[in-house]
Amino acid sequence: MAILIDEGTRLVVTGLTGREGRFHAKRNADYGTKVVAGVTPGKGGQEVDGVPVFDTVREAVAETDANTAMVFVPARFAADSVMECADAGIDVIVCITEHIPAMDMARVVPYLHTRPSRDITLIGPNCPGVISPGKANVGIIPGEVCAPGPVGLVSRSGTLTYQIVHELTQRGIGQTTCVGIGGDPIPGSDFIDILGRFEEDPETELVVFVGEIGGDAEERAAAWAEDNMTKPIVAYIAGFTAPPGRRMGHAGAIISGSSGTAQAKKEALEAAGIRVGTNPTEVAQLVQKALG
Amino acid sequence: MDLFEYQGKQLLRTFEVPVPEGRVAATPEEAEEAARGLGGKVAIKAQVQVGGRGKAGGIKLAGSPEEARQRAGEILGMDIKGHRVGRVLVERAGDIAGEYYVSFLVDRSNRDFLGMMSSEGGIDIEEVAARSPDSIARVHIDPLYGFSDFHARTLVFGSGIDAAARKEALAILPKLYDAFVGLDASLVEINPLVLTGEGRVMALDAKVTLDDSAAYRHPNFDELKAAHEVPEQERLAAEKGLNFIKLDGDVGIIGNGAGLVMSTLDVVSNAGGRPANFLDVGGGAGADVLTAALEVITSDAGVRSVLINIFGGITRCDAVAEGILHAFRSFDVTVPVVVRLDGTNAEEGRRMLAESPQDNLIPADTMLGAAEKAVELAKEAK
């Protein structure tokens, strides 16, 4: 088992004909992911690396039974593309695009949640995607650093996730699924959404939780986990040395007033009985110890 | 982007939010001219993006144009908590009968919009929340359905502002909400919203934060940005497309990806060092980007060592190595540079660095080892 994506994933890529979209879709296909369709309005009928391109997501779904979407279109079109995927019947949407206006995401997220009798999951935007090692890779996480195994990972960051996964894999500890929920202020899924899925996944034995400064998603997740998680969690928080009021690369990584500090997040996690590593290496060591 | 008060008020005026009549001035003479144009008593307000400017002497009243010039002369050039005052806002001043607080913001916790109003204005809202939480009314607004009259009533009656201010406040709130959405703001905060002696309600201050990601649909964004003074090193970095923030330490940091760079700063700090900056070269950075990053970092005379921490994904470590070597060939790199490469093409990158040995180019195997080495070298250089 894994969460969100696996051998049954049939992927449609919006923005497949773009340079980035094509490059990463190819890498995902090479990893073994079933990339079944691309969508670029006006380019229907073309093929990219053997993958048929359609004008609309609806058409792509009808022709190829795609069940998962990866959004790779530029920021000003991305919010619309996410809604198009949802409207076409896709239930798992992974949006890699960075710099989508927060106002747009503030409308997209409730739109997804108000579709009648549907359970739509959006991962991202501004995220590295999702990988279930050995099964499927949707996004830009380098498959080489991952290995199949019992650890679920959820993170707001990209390369920091690779660093931690790398340290785990080096110690012979593989992963069920690694989920990058992204560094935006309004993510489609937050820590709680993903923790819940890992709790239900029979193969996941332990969860690694990678947070950073800004907002209170870590604090809320800590409180939720205390009441709802039976599986152990090992956490890491980045940004202890970040100055207040400055955006540290990610749109969501900012300390506003006295809220959103790394220290407050660490304390909330520890109060919920979650161990917090002081650096990526220590996180891997704590995981190793916990798994026995 | 955080706007100056005068910029925020200019924008709010276009949404018909009442603000005091005022003009911006960069010299005492301009302030005098502005005061003459406005007539009567004026307030001279330092334009800085930091709270507590009133207490620091950054807001003064003037009864005549001549006095306005004198007061502006005192305020211009002042240092308020590390912010130099380059402009003042000269505004018509009047009697104040009541001070309130109102804001709209993107609520990250609930993934919607939050409106807040308080009968206690003119002080920091975090302080009000701690001291008298009952004076704050809150409404969550569904971005799909927008702001309704009942939202406005919930804020106005819930906060308990003076009865005399209710009618105009009810009319202003939808306009403020329209401004919040229309400007692509992440925050519009009016503190204080005032009731004047004449019974009018208006925004006496304005804190507006715009979403940089939405700049493409606001043609005036660049013009607003141009008014902001940026430190030389940050300007240089921005020109080269680098995500750079100056800090006050002596270990220069270069990494790829915001989270990894933040983590690198923390690891350096835990090793007893002090990071000189945050610099994220982004995803898929090529050799030229690495060269530019080293150029920006080493332009800071306070930097005693540099740590380059790269985990290759889309970024290829061989391209990173090429960029580092190119920097060493193109300009004088005098400080020690510790390099840690992992991920895509890391072996090739490490081999390239090993084949062009430099006394001050030090390879490291792990992130922790690299941080310790960089900190040690910075200390030795003192």
Side-chain angles (χ1 to χ4, degrees), chain B residues 165-343:
Chain B
R166 279 179 195 158
K167 192 175 168 212
E168 289 201 17
L170 284 169
I172 288 171
L173 286 174
K175 292 173 183 168
L176 264 183
Y177 179 83
D178 287 347
F180 167 71
V181 174
L183 294 170
D184 266 301
S186 49
L187 172 71
V188 170
E189 183 180 66
I190 308 301
N191 190 19
L193 180 78
V194 297
L195 173 65
T196 68
E198 294 87 47
R200 304 296 316 278
V201 175
M202 58 174 66
L204 196 61
D205 197 356
K207 187 175 173 192
V208 177
T209 304
L210 301 183
D211 180 358
D212 293 17
S213 296
Y216 72 88
R217 54 191 178 203
H218 298 280
N220 58 345
F221 198 91
D222 287 343
E223 194 187 316
L224 292 165
K225 195 160 196 157
H228 292 69
E229 218 174 286
V230 180
E232 177 57 21
Q233 215 187 353
E234 295 198 3
R235 197 190 52 76
L236 187 68
E239 252 173 39
K240 295 177 187 294
L242 301 167
N243 204 332
F244 174 89
I245 293 169
K246 176 96 183 78
L247 303 170
D248 58 5
D250 53 14
V251 181
I253 311 280
I254 297 173
N256 63 324
L260 185 63
V261 180
M262 274 191 271
S263 173
T264 308
L265 300 184
D266 292 349
V267 167
V268 163
S269 167
N270 283 335
R274 287 166 54 243
N277 66 278
F278 168 99
L279 194 158
D280 174 12
V281 295
D288 52 331
V289 177
L290 257 295
T291 307
L294 260 175
E295 196 179 347
V296 168
I297 297 283
T298 53
S299 73
D300 176 356
V303 167
R304 293 196 170 90
S305 72
V306 177
L307 167 55
I308 301 181
N309 184 24
I310 301 290
F311 201 101
I314 332 171
T315 306
R316 291 176 7 240
C317 291
D318 55 325
V320 170
E322 190 190 321
I324 295 168
L325 293 173
H326 185 253
F328 272 78
R329 284 193 301 271
S330 325
F331 50 89
D332 205 14
V333 181
T334 53
V335 295
V337 179
V338 181
V339 183
R340 179 268 180 159
L341 302 174
D342 245 317

Side-chain angles (χ1 to χ4, degrees), chain B residues 99-101 117-138 191:
Chain B
E99 289 188 86
Y100 323 114
Y101 170 96
M117 189 162 209
S118 170
S119 55
E120 297 191 28
I123 32 177
D124 192 79
I125 191 68
E126 285 190 26
E127 206 177 297
V128 178
R131 200 187 53 210
S132 44
D134 291 346
S135 77
I136 304 176
R138 292 181 178 81
N191 190 19

Side-chain angles (χ1 to χ4, degrees), chain A residues 76 99 101-104 106-107 156 159 163 186-188 190 193 216 236 239-241 246-249 252 258, chain B residues 106 108-109 111 126 143 180-181 184-185 211 213 216-217 234 243 245 256-257 260 263 265-266 269 278 311 340:
Chain A
R76 64 180 74 185
H99 300 308
M103 282 290 163
D104 293 358
R107 294 190 182 99
R156 277 170 70 187
T159 45
Q163 173 70 35
I186 304 190
D190 66 9
D193 301 324
D216 66 351
Y236 179 70
F240 282 87
T241 39
R246 299 301 304 263
R247 231 164 264 283
M248 304 299 276
S258 60
Chain B
V106 174
R108 299 173 59 163
S109 310
R111 295 182 246 185
E126 285 190 26
F180 167 71
V181 174
D184 266 301
D211 180 358
S213 296
Y216 72 88
R217 54 191 178 203
E234 295 198 3
N243 204 332
I245 293 169
N256 63 324
L260 185 63
S263 173
L265 300 184
D266 292 349
S269 167
F278 168 99
F311 201 101
R340 179 268 180 159

